[in-house]
Amino acid sequence: MRLDMLESSISGIAVSLFDQLCKGGSYIVEQVDQARQKVRDTEEILKASKNYQQKYETRHGQMKIMPGLMKEAIPLTSIYTAVKLLDKHSIRQFASRDELEKLYRDQGKRRFQTADRRHDGITIAKEQQYLMVLGSPGVGKSTFLRKLGLEALKGQQGQLKRQQIPVFIELKTFRNNTIDLKTVIANEFKICGFPDTQAFTDLSLKQGKLFILLDGLDEVPANNVNQVIEHIEAFAIQHNENTFVASCRTAAYRSSFQQFLDVTIADFDDGQIEQFIQRWFNSQLDTEADTANRYWELLQHPNNKAAKELAQTPLLLTFLCLIYEREQRLPNKRSTLYGRALNILLSEWSAQKRLEQGPIYEDFNPELEKDLLSKIAYTSFEEDQLFFSKQDITDRITKYLADTLDAPRHLDGPAILQTIEIQQGILVQRATDTYSFSHLTLQEYLTAMYIVNNQLVSELVSQHLTKERWREVFLLVVGLLGRQGSELLDIIDQQARTVINDHPNIRSLVQWANHITKESPYECESFAKTAIAIAIACASAIDSDRASDRASNLAKAIAITRARDIRIAAAPTTASLTAIAIARARSIDNDRKKAQVIVKACSRAIDKAIDSINYLNKIQLFNKDSLQELPSQLLILKIQIPQPEADFAEWVSYANELEDTFLNALGLRFESISLSAEEWNGLNNYLHAHELLLRCKQASIGISRTAWETIEKRLLTI
């Protein structure tokens, strides 16, 4: 084939990427007129050019993972979510472990990745000739490279605005000692039927018309890595008119390519998660059912914050979407859900990508690895430690191997850490020689696994029942226990009862709540009625915000399947507490304008209290006749609200009268709710234990009906 024809072919392909060729090939036809003897070759080039885009989209523009859940491939463009990249300034390479711990605590979120300098991935790729894309397993590196190729195919109509031909190469195919990138590129063209592919490739490289996408440097067999790196660097220097984008797992990237800009793919933020969900559930049926919005709202619920955390990784977000697509709900048995997510990272993802396993896996099986990781997770969680030094974690691995009978003696800590970090990304280097689990959820799940496997349920309850950060562990433990989960519920109930035994005033308050709701005709569990009574009593007390909030939370926990209970508990609680708080606030405030606002707010709060008490009387939740008179008493008090210019003594007197009115109607004495700080904390712990117990019941798997009914009869009783 003549040189000028090849050059014209390359230009025709790269400019608007096949547009000229597909619209009649006028550019090439001129060459045909000048060289009629090459008509056959020209037709082959035209045909191959037309096929290249189609075959690229077929081979690299489809996504199908987790075959057990995904029935057919999905076009990448239909679900692709804009990638955000972190630059070197966002990576805390030199942060200490203590600094990372403080940063995590201060932000008050479950997200470990704290960098806030994010850049649009396509924009960075458009500006850079050499780009190395780093990230953890499943974070979307391959998907990003494939998307870049699809955009390049669009030519000037695409986001990249490149007049280059994309060539996507999976580096894991470099399995032998002969590494020739040019030949691999030529084979990509050969697949599409290009004639004289070696000459075509040479000229394409010479003219700088190739957009070379090198995916998965970490997937190159270990014995070939150094050779492949040297070859790519030399090739990129030799053909520096072209564009190169490579990808590699962060943990496997040991030496920077001189001319490449290193960037890291950021975890998905809320906007990206929502966008992914909207694009995933975009069928006509999903649109009519509003599936995407319902699913996004479900993930936003506080009960699903750990599941949403997994959604920060595109691989696991895909898994969550597949689960919801099949079941139209998130499994409430979180132990099953998170266990499956862990297995995806441990083995399924590598198996689906057909990665060559290192020699270490011949003896280091998944069950042994889970046992090791659960030990590390539990020990660090016990120490309230989310970040740990490289030396610390390798010492823990080494100690585990020495203490475990079926752990091969030749394995060593550093090698296992490197393997876990590179192959699965379950342990992630957050800064120089500082590590954490990739997700707090996985650390919690592994901690729960260790507790169950080592029969530490009693210790869990006695030491951590009232600690909020252990809540998720409790919910996972009860799921992993299966039918034996009733034992955990029993122990929680017994521990809660110690509060009653240690604090007579709390015992009296619970007795009052039991009595005032006894034989109530309202159709609701007896413990739910007691909880509502305690919530209202707490709301009627001064300086009881924390206990009131806990009681309200308990009422909400009970109301998971009975939404009407929320109205019963929340309305009077909020109204009575607000009215009293407003009166107390006015008593120490001399600002006239603020006083006028407070008068109006106090009036509205009493109106709400009247409405809610009327509702309680209507449904006959309490067996107290004095509550029938409370609305009219409150109406009189509303009329008697002091004027803004009232003095301190008048407002104090009014606040006390308002409080006494509530207490008398409820049959409570002031002393009954004048608890000490220690007692309020004890009540807080008591209610927390019961709320957690109810959450555990919901998260349990296989607990018998009889076992639960036995526990239920004892809830919030003396």
mmCIF file of all heavy atoms in Angstrom, residues 257-296:
data_model
loop_
_atom_site.group_PDB
_atom_site.id
_atom_site.type_symbol
_atom_site.label_atom_id
_atom_site.label_comp_id
_atom_site.label_asym_id
_atom_site.label_seq_id
_atom_site.Cartn_x
_atom_site.Cartn_y
_atom_site.Cartn_z
ATOM 1 N N PHE A 257 6.163 6.990 36.943
ATOM 2 C CA PHE A 257 6.648 7.213 35.582
ATOM 3 C C PHE A 257 7.048 8.679 35.486
ATOM 4 O O PHE A 257 6.289 9.558 35.882
ATOM 5 C CB PHE A 257 5.548 6.910 34.559
ATOM 6 C CG PHE A 257 5.250 5.437 34.396
ATOM 7 C CD1 PHE A 257 4.287 5.019 33.501
ATOM 8 C CD2 PHE A 257 5.941 4.477 35.114
ATOM 9 C CE1 PHE A 257 4.016 3.673 33.329
ATOM 10 C CE2 PHE A 257 5.675 3.131 34.955
ATOM 11 C CZ PHE A 257 4.707 2.726 34.065
ATOM 12 N N GLN A 258 8.228 8.917 34.973
ATOM 13 C CA GLN A 258 8.784 10.264 34.989
ATOM 14 C C GLN A 258 7.864 11.296 34.357
ATOM 15 O O GLN A 258 7.642 12.362 34.908
ATOM 16 C CB GLN A 258 10.150 10.265 34.276
ATOM 17 C CG GLN A 258 11.237 9.518 35.031
ATOM 18 C CD GLN A 258 11.585 10.181 36.353
ATOM 19 O OE1 GLN A 258 11.574 11.393 36.457
ATOM 20 N NE2 GLN A 258 11.874 9.365 37.370
ATOM 21 N N GLN A 259 7.322 10.970 33.187
ATOM 22 C CA GLN A 259 6.569 11.982 32.445
ATOM 23 C C GLN A 259 5.070 11.969 32.745
ATOM 24 O O GLN A 259 4.330 12.814 32.260
ATOM 25 C CB GLN A 259 6.795 11.831 30.933
ATOM 26 C CG GLN A 259 6.278 10.515 30.343
ATOM 27 C CD GLN A 259 7.332 9.427 30.375
ATOM 28 O OE1 GLN A 259 7.937 9.178 31.404
ATOM 29 N NE2 GLN A 259 7.545 8.773 29.239
ATOM 30 N N PHE A 260 4.597 11.014 33.568
ATOM 31 C CA PHE A 260 3.169 10.889 33.843
ATOM 32 C C PHE A 260 2.768 11.712 35.069
ATOM 33 O O PHE A 260 3.479 11.744 36.070
ATOM 34 C CB PHE A 260 2.800 9.421 34.090
ATOM 35 C CG PHE A 260 2.695 8.586 32.836
ATOM 36 C CD1 PHE A 260 3.806 8.330 32.051
ATOM 37 C CD2 PHE A 260 1.481 8.045 32.454
ATOM 38 C CE1 PHE A 260 3.721 7.560 30.907
ATOM 39 C CE2 PHE A 260 1.378 7.265 31.316
ATOM 40 C CZ PHE A 260 2.505 7.022 30.531
ATOM 41 N N LEU A 261 1.614 12.354 34.979
ATOM 42 C CA LEU A 261 1.023 13.025 36.134
ATOM 43 C C LEU A 261 0.222 11.992 36.924
ATOM 44 O O LEU A 261 -0.674 11.342 36.376
ATOM 45 C CB LEU A 261 0.096 14.155 35.687
ATOM 46 C CG LEU A 261 -0.711 14.837 36.805
ATOM 47 C CD1 LEU A 261 0.207 15.605 37.741
ATOM 48 C CD2 LEU A 261 -1.785 15.756 36.219
ATOM 49 N N ASP A 262 0.541 11.841 38.200
ATOM 50 C CA ASP A 262 -0.161 10.873 39.040
ATOM 51 C C ASP A 262 -1.388 11.527 39.666
ATOM 52 O O ASP A 262 -1.291 12.572 40.314
ATOM 53 C CB ASP A 262 0.751 10.365 40.162
ATOM 54 C CG ASP A 262 1.966 9.607 39.633
ATOM 55 O OD1 ASP A 262 1.921 9.161 38.473
ATOM 56 O OD2 ASP A 262 2.955 9.476 40.375
ATOM 57 N N VAL A 263 -2.541 10.902 39.481
ATOM 58 C CA VAL A 263 -3.784 11.362 40.105
ATOM 59 C C VAL A 263 -4.483 10.148 40.713
ATOM 60 O O VAL A 263 -4.244 9.017 40.306
ATOM 61 C CB VAL A 263 -4.723 12.058 39.096
ATOM 62 C CG1 VAL A 263 -4.126 13.369 38.616
ATOM 63 C CG2 VAL A 263 -5.025 11.143 37.921
ATOM 64 N N THR A 264 -5.338 10.407 41.691
ATOM 65 C CA THR A 264 -6.057 9.334 42.376
ATOM 66 C C THR A 264 -7.557 9.532 42.226
ATOM 67 O O THR A 264 -8.062 10.650 42.395
ATOM 68 C CB THR A 264 -5.701 9.313 43.875
ATOM 69 O OG1 THR A 264 -4.289 9.174 44.024
ATOM 70 C CG2 THR A 264 -6.406 8.171 44.592
ATOM 71 N N ILE A 265 -8.273 8.463 41.907
ATOM 72 C CA ILE A 265 -9.735 8.547 41.811
ATOM 73 C C ILE A 265 -10.318 8.678 43.214
ATOM 74 O O ILE A 265 -10.015 7.884 44.105
ATOM 75 C CB ILE A 265 -10.322 7.310 41.102
ATOM 76 C CG1 ILE A 265 -9.908 7.311 39.622
ATOM 77 C CG2 ILE A 265 -11.835 7.284 41.220
ATOM 78 C CD1 ILE A 265 -10.558 6.222 38.799
ATOM 79 N N ALA A 266 -11.151 9.675 43.391
ATOM 80 C CA ALA A 266 -11.778 9.906 44.693
ATOM 81 C C ALA A 266 -12.970 8.972 44.879
ATOM 82 O O ALA A 266 -13.614 8.558 43.909
ATOM 83 C CB ALA A 266 -12.241 11.362 44.795
ATOM 84 N N ASP A 267 -13.251 8.647 46.139
ATOM 85 C CA ASP A 267 -14.488 7.928 46.440
ATOM 86 C C ASP A 267 -15.675 8.744 45.940
ATOM 87 O O ASP A 267 -15.616 9.974 45.863
ATOM 88 C CB ASP A 267 -14.645 7.728 47.953
ATOM 89 C CG ASP A 267 -13.608 6.767 48.524
ATOM 90 O OD1 ASP A 267 -13.034 5.989 47.740
ATOM 91 O OD2 ASP A 267 -13.378 6.809 49.742
ATOM 92 N N PHE A 268 -16.766 8.068 45.619
ATOM 93 C CA PHE A 268 -17.983 8.771 45.224
ATOM 94 C C PHE A 268 -18.494 9.620 46.383
ATOM 95 O O PHE A 268 -18.521 9.179 47.536
ATOM 96 C CB PHE A 268 -19.071 7.771 44.843
ATOM 97 C CG PHE A 268 -19.055 7.368 43.389
ATOM 98 C CD1 PHE A 268 -18.047 7.778 42.541
ATOM 99 C CD2 PHE A 268 -20.070 6.578 42.872
ATOM 100 C CE1 PHE A 268 -18.038 7.408 41.207
ATOM 101 C CE2 PHE A 268 -20.075 6.198 41.540
ATOM 102 C CZ PHE A 268 -19.059 6.617 40.701
ATOM 103 N N ASP A 269 -18.882 10.857 46.085
ATOM 104 C CA ASP A 269 -19.573 11.673 47.069
ATOM 105 C C ASP A 269 -21.080 11.498 46.869
ATOM 106 O O ASP A 269 -21.527 10.742 46.004
ATOM 107 C CB ASP A 269 -19.151 13.143 46.977
ATOM 108 C CG ASP A 269 -19.370 13.731 45.587
ATOM 109 O OD1 ASP A 269 -20.233 13.219 44.840
ATOM 110 O OD2 ASP A 269 -18.680 14.713 45.239
ATOM 111 N N ASP A 270 -21.858 12.203 47.671
ATOM 112 C CA ASP A 270 -23.311 12.025 47.599
ATOM 113 C C ASP A 270 -23.858 12.334 46.214
ATOM 114 O O ASP A 270 -24.752 11.630 45.709
ATOM 115 C CB ASP A 270 -24.001 12.924 48.633
ATOM 116 C CG ASP A 270 -23.946 12.335 50.035
ATOM 117 O OD1 ASP A 270 -23.281 11.289 50.212
ATOM 118 O OD2 ASP A 270 -24.550 12.913 50.956
ATOM 119 N N GLY A 271 -23.336 13.398 45.596
ATOM 120 C CA GLY A 271 -23.814 13.770 44.268
ATOM 121 C C GLY A 271 -23.556 12.683 43.239
ATOM 122 O O GLY A 271 -24.410 12.395 42.388
ATOM 123 N N GLN A 272 -22.391 12.072 43.303
ATOM 124 C CA GLN A 272 -22.056 11.001 42.359
ATOM 125 C C GLN A 272 -22.896 9.749 42.612
ATOM 126 O O GLN A 272 -23.327 9.090 41.668
ATOM 127 C CB GLN A 272 -20.568 10.667 42.456
ATOM 128 C CG GLN A 272 -19.647 11.749 41.901
ATOM 129 C CD GLN A 272 -18.196 11.474 42.241
ATOM 130 O OE1 GLN A 272 -17.791 11.548 43.404
ATOM 131 N NE2 GLN A 272 -17.411 11.146 41.249
ATOM 132 N N ILE A 273 -23.107 9.422 43.893
ATOM 133 C CA ILE A 273 -23.939 8.256 44.213
ATOM 134 C C ILE A 273 -25.345 8.449 43.667
ATOM 135 O O ILE A 273 -25.915 7.551 43.025
ATOM 136 C CB ILE A 273 -23.989 8.030 45.740
ATOM 137 C CG1 ILE A 273 -22.597 7.663 46.272
ATOM 138 C CG2 ILE A 273 -24.986 6.925 46.087
ATOM 139 C CD1 ILE A 273 -22.515 7.602 47.790
ATOM 140 N N GLU A 274 -25.902 9.630 43.890
ATOM 141 C CA GLU A 274 -27.263 9.891 43.401
ATOM 142 C C GLU A 274 -27.311 9.852 41.876
ATOM 143 O O GLU A 274 -28.246 9.298 41.285
ATOM 144 C CB GLU A 274 -27.758 11.248 43.912
ATOM 145 C CG GLU A 274 -29.192 11.541 43.500
ATOM 146 C CD GLU A 274 -29.711 12.862 44.042
ATOM 147 O OE1 GLU A 274 -28.898 13.649 44.573
ATOM 148 O OE2 GLU A 274 -30.928 13.103 43.937
ATOM 149 N N GLN A 275 -26.303 10.429 41.219
ATOM 150 C CA GLN A 275 -26.271 10.419 39.758
ATOM 151 C C GLN A 275 -26.193 8.996 39.213
ATOM 152 O O GLN A 275 -26.888 8.646 38.253
ATOM 153 C CB GLN A 275 -25.074 11.233 39.255
ATOM 154 C CG GLN A 275 -25.037 11.376 37.734
ATOM 155 C CD GLN A 275 -23.794 12.111 37.255
ATOM 156 O OE1 GLN A 275 -22.685 11.607 37.372
ATOM 157 N NE2 GLN A 275 -23.988 13.309 36.729
ATOM 158 N N PHE A 276 -25.360 8.164 39.842
ATOM 159 C CA PHE A 276 -25.235 6.773 39.421
ATOM 160 C C PHE A 276 -26.582 6.060 39.544
ATOM 161 O O PHE A 276 -27.008 5.343 38.631
ATOM 162 C CB PHE A 276 -24.188 6.068 40.279
ATOM 163 C CG PHE A 276 -23.881 4.651 39.858
ATOM 164 C CD1 PHE A 276 -22.784 4.376 39.057
ATOM 165 C CD2 PHE A 276 -24.684 3.588 40.263
ATOM 166 C CE1 PHE A 276 -22.493 3.076 38.666
ATOM 167 C CE2 PHE A 276 -24.409 2.288 39.877
ATOM 168 C CZ PHE A 276 -23.311 2.027 39.077
ATOM 169 N N ILE A 277 -27.268 6.270 40.661
ATOM 170 C CA ILE A 277 -28.567 5.623 40.889
ATOM 171 C C ILE A 277 -29.592 6.101 39.862
ATOM 172 O O ILE A 277 -30.370 5.299 39.321
ATOM 173 C CB ILE A 277 -29.042 5.914 42.324
ATOM 174 C CG1 ILE A 277 -28.159 5.170 43.329
ATOM 175 C CG2 ILE A 277 -30.505 5.516 42.508
ATOM 176 C CD1 ILE A 277 -28.417 5.550 44.770
ATOM 177 N N GLN A 278 -29.601 7.404 39.583
ATOM 178 C CA GLN A 278 -30.549 7.939 38.606
ATOM 179 C C GLN A 278 -30.318 7.322 37.229
ATOM 180 O O GLN A 278 -31.275 7.027 36.500
ATOM 181 C CB GLN A 278 -30.423 9.470 38.529
ATOM 182 C CG GLN A 278 -30.865 10.214 39.779
ATOM 183 C CD GLN A 278 -32.369 10.187 39.985
ATOM 184 O OE1 GLN A 278 -33.136 9.862 39.082
ATOM 185 N NE2 GLN A 278 -32.803 10.541 41.195
ATOM 186 N N ARG A 279 -29.054 7.104 36.882
ATOM 187 C CA ARG A 279 -28.751 6.541 35.562
ATOM 188 C C ARG A 279 -28.979 5.034 35.520
ATOM 189 O O ARG A 279 -29.299 4.488 34.472
ATOM 190 C CB ARG A 279 -27.307 6.878 35.183
ATOM 191 C CG ARG A 279 -27.111 8.367 34.943
ATOM 192 C CD ARG A 279 -25.731 8.711 34.447
ATOM 193 N NE ARG A 279 -25.649 10.115 34.090
ATOM 194 C CZ ARG A 279 -24.563 10.694 33.581
ATOM 195 N NH1 ARG A 279 -23.460 9.981 33.392
ATOM 196 N NH2 ARG A 279 -24.570 11.971 33.276
ATOM 197 N N TRP A 280 -28.799 4.386 36.668
ATOM 198 C CA TRP A 280 -29.007 2.940 36.698
ATOM 199 C C TRP A 280 -30.495 2.611 36.526
ATOM 200 O O TRP A 280 -30.862 1.739 35.742
ATOM 201 C CB TRP A 280 -28.492 2.377 38.022
ATOM 202 C CG TRP A 280 -28.581 0.877 38.101
ATOM 203 C CD1 TRP A 280 -29.689 0.130 38.393
ATOM 204 C CD2 TRP A 280 -27.534 -0.055 37.838
ATOM 205 N NE1 TRP A 280 -29.398 -1.204 38.338
ATOM 206 C CE2 TRP A 280 -28.083 -1.349 38.008
ATOM 207 C CE3 TRP A 280 -26.191 0.080 37.498
ATOM 208 C CZ2 TRP A 280 -27.316 -2.507 37.841
ATOM 209 C CZ3 TRP A 280 -25.427 -1.074 37.340
ATOM 210 C CH2 TRP A 280 -25.993 -2.349 37.498
ATOM 211 N N PHE A 281 -31.339 3.315 37.274
ATOM 212 C CA PHE A 281 -32.777 3.052 37.226
ATOM 213 C C PHE A 281 -33.449 4.060 36.289
ATOM 214 O O PHE A 281 -34.184 4.949 36.729
ATOM 215 C CB PHE A 281 -33.372 3.144 38.633
ATOM 216 C CG PHE A 281 -32.820 2.136 39.597
ATOM 217 C CD1 PHE A 281 -31.912 2.519 40.577
ATOM 218 C CD2 PHE A 281 -33.189 0.802 39.517
ATOM 219 C CE1 PHE A 281 -31.399 1.591 41.466
ATOM 220 C CE2 PHE A 281 -32.667 -0.138 40.401
ATOM 221 C CZ PHE A 281 -31.769 0.255 41.373
ATOM 222 N N ASN A 282 -33.164 3.942 35.003
ATOM 223 C CA ASN A 282 -33.671 4.919 34.046
ATOM 224 C C ASN A 282 -34.612 4.314 33.009
ATOM 225 O O ASN A 282 -34.935 4.947 32.011
ATOM 226 C CB ASN A 282 -32.507 5.620 33.337
ATOM 227 C CG ASN A 282 -31.690 4.661 32.468
ATOM 228 O OD1 ASN A 282 -31.916 3.453 32.478
ATOM 229 N ND2 ASN A 282 -30.751 5.198 31.709
ATOM 230 N N SER A 283 -35.059 3.072 33.213
ATOM 231 C CA SER A 283 -35.999 2.464 32.271
ATOM 232 C C SER A 283 -37.359 3.138 32.408
ATOM 233 O O SER A 283 -37.625 3.860 33.385
ATOM 234 C CB SER A 283 -36.137 0.968 32.547
ATOM 235 O OG SER A 283 -36.786 0.741 33.780
ATOM 236 N N GLN A 284 -38.230 2.887 31.452
ATOM 237 C CA GLN A 284 -39.563 3.479 31.511
ATOM 238 C C GLN A 284 -40.313 3.007 32.757
ATOM 239 O O GLN A 284 -40.984 3.791 33.433
ATOM 240 C CB GLN A 284 -40.364 3.113 30.258
ATOM 241 C CG GLN A 284 -41.759 3.737 30.232
ATOM 242 C CD GLN A 284 -42.500 3.427 28.947
ATOM 243 O OE1 GLN A 284 -41.926 2.913 27.990
ATOM 244 N NE2 GLN A 284 -43.785 3.723 28.908
ATOM 245 N N LEU A 285 -40.154 1.711 33.059
ATOM 246 C CA LEU A 285 -40.820 1.166 34.238
ATOM 247 C C LEU A 285 -40.295 1.814 35.514
ATOM 248 O O LEU A 285 -41.061 2.164 36.414
ATOM 249 C CB LEU A 285 -40.614 -0.349 34.293
ATOM 250 C CG LEU A 285 -41.323 -1.095 35.434
ATOM 251 C CD1 LEU A 285 -42.835 -0.926 35.301
ATOM 252 C CD2 LEU A 285 -40.945 -2.572 35.408
ATOM 253 N N ASP A 286 -38.966 2.002 35.584
ATOM 254 C CA ASP A 286 -38.370 2.640 36.760
ATOM 255 C C ASP A 286 -38.806 4.098 36.878
ATOM 256 O O ASP A 286 -39.028 4.602 37.984
ATOM 257 C CB ASP A 286 -36.837 2.554 36.693
ATOM 258 C CG ASP A 286 -36.317 1.167 37.017
ATOM 259 O OD1 ASP A 286 -36.935 0.487 37.851
ATOM 260 O OD2 ASP A 286 -35.287 0.772 36.438
ATOM 261 N N THR A 287 -38.903 4.764 35.737
ATOM 262 C CA THR A 287 -39.334 6.162 35.745
ATOM 263 C C THR A 287 -40.755 6.291 36.262
ATOM 264 O O THR A 287 -41.063 7.169 37.077
ATOM 265 C CB THR A 287 -39.233 6.760 34.330
ATOM 266 O OG1 THR A 287 -37.877 6.663 33.870
ATOM 267 C CG2 THR A 287 -39.647 8.223 34.331
ATOM 268 N N GLU A 288 -41.640 5.407 35.789
ATOM 269 C CA GLU A 288 -43.034 5.436 36.232
ATOM 270 C C GLU A 288 -43.149 5.128 37.723
ATOM 271 O O GLU A 288 -43.986 5.694 38.420
ATOM 272 C CB GLU A 288 -43.860 4.430 35.421
ATOM 273 C CG GLU A 288 -43.996 4.808 33.949
ATOM 274 C CD GLU A 288 -44.643 3.710 33.129
ATOM 275 O OE1 GLU A 288 -44.909 2.621 33.696
ATOM 276 O OE2 GLU A 288 -44.894 3.928 31.925
ATOM 277 N N ALA A 289 -42.296 4.224 38.206
ATOM 278 C CA ALA A 289 -42.344 3.834 39.620
ATOM 279 C C ALA A 289 -41.501 4.746 40.503
ATOM 280 O O ALA A 289 -41.485 4.575 41.729
ATOM 281 C CB ALA A 289 -41.875 2.388 39.770
ATOM 282 N N ASP A 290 -40.780 5.692 39.881
ATOM 283 C CA ASP A 290 -39.898 6.605 40.623
ATOM 284 C C ASP A 290 -38.873 5.823 41.448
ATOM 285 O O ASP A 290 -38.547 6.184 42.581
ATOM 286 C CB ASP A 290 -40.731 7.513 41.529
ATOM 287 C CG ASP A 290 -39.950 8.768 41.959
ATOM 288 O OD1 ASP A 290 -39.036 9.173 41.212
ATOM 289 O OD2 ASP A 290 -40.254 9.318 43.031
ATOM 290 N N THR A 291 -38.347 4.744 40.853
ATOM 291 C CA THR A 291 -37.451 3.832 41.566
ATOM 292 C C THR A 291 -36.194 4.531 42.060
ATOM 293 O O THR A 291 -35.770 4.335 43.208
ATOM 294 C CB THR A 291 -37.057 2.649 40.660
ATOM 295 O OG1 THR A 291 -38.235 2.013 40.183
ATOM 296 C CG2 THR A 291 -36.220 1.638 41.437
ATOM 297 N N ALA A 292 -35.571 5.336 41.199
ATOM 298 C CA ALA A 292 -34.301 5.967 41.562
ATOM 299 C C ALA A 292 -34.458 6.857 42.789
ATOM 300 O O ALA A 292 -33.644 6.791 43.732
ATOM 301 C CB ALA A 292 -33.758 6.773 40.384
ATOM 302 N N ASN A 293 -35.482 7.690 42.801
ATOM 303 C CA ASN A 293 -35.671 8.599 43.933
ATOM 304 C C ASN A 293 -36.016 7.836 45.213
ATOM 305 O O ASN A 293 -35.561 8.199 46.308
ATOM 306 C CB ASN A 293 -36.773 9.615 43.619
ATOM 307 C CG ASN A 293 -36.338 10.637 42.581
ATOM 308 O OD1 ASN A 293 -35.161 11.003 42.518
ATOM 309 N ND2 ASN A 293 -37.263 11.088 41.756
ATOM 310 N N ARG A 294 -36.807 6.776 45.077
ATOM 311 C CA ARG A 294 -37.158 5.987 46.263
ATOM 312 C C ARG A 294 -35.922 5.308 46.844
ATOM 313 O O ARG A 294 -35.746 5.243 48.060
ATOM 314 C CB ARG A 294 -38.221 4.944 45.905
ATOM 315 C CG ARG A 294 -39.606 5.550 45.681
ATOM 316 C CD ARG A 294 -40.706 4.512 45.620
ATOM 317 N NE ARG A 294 -40.568 3.660 44.444
ATOM 318 C CZ ARG A 294 -40.229 2.380 44.476
ATOM 319 N NH1 ARG A 294 -39.958 1.796 45.633
ATOM 320 N NH2 ARG A 294 -40.141 1.670 43.366
ATOM 321 N N TYR A 295 -35.059 4.817 45.943
ATOM 322 C CA TYR A 295 -33.854 4.147 46.411
ATOM 323 C C TYR A 295 -32.882 5.140 47.057
ATOM 324 O O TYR A 295 -32.282 4.859 48.103
ATOM 325 C CB TYR A 295 -33.179 3.422 45.250
ATOM 326 C CG TYR A 295 -31.957 2.623 45.626
ATOM 327 C CD1 TYR A 295 -31.888 1.942 46.831
ATOM 328 C CD2 TYR A 295 -30.855 2.549 44.779
ATOM 329 C CE1 TYR A 295 -30.770 1.199 47.181
ATOM 330 C CE2 TYR A 295 -29.732 1.810 45.114
ATOM 331 C CZ TYR A 295 -29.696 1.145 46.315
ATOM 332 O OH TYR A 295 -28.584 0.423 46.666
ATOM 333 N N TRP A 296 -32.748 6.305 46.450
ATOM 334 C CA TRP A 296 -31.855 7.328 47.010
ATOM 335 C C TRP A 296 -32.353 7.764 48.388
ATOM 336 O O TRP A 296 -31.557 7.916 49.328
ATOM 337 C CB TRP A 296 -31.781 8.522 46.061
ATOM 338 C CG TRP A 296 -31.026 9.701 46.595
ATOM 339 C CD1 TRP A 296 -31.492 10.954 46.811
ATOM 340 C CD2 TRP A 296 -29.655 9.739 47.025
ATOM 341 N NE1 TRP A 296 -30.520 11.769 47.327
ATOM 342 C CE2 TRP A 296 -29.375 11.053 47.459
ATOM 343 C CE3 TRP A 296 -28.638 8.786 47.066
ATOM 344 C CZ2 TRP A 296 -28.137 11.440 47.950
ATOM 345 C CZ3 TRP A 296 -27.391 9.177 47.551
ATOM 346 C CH2 TRP A 296 -27.152 10.479 47.976
#
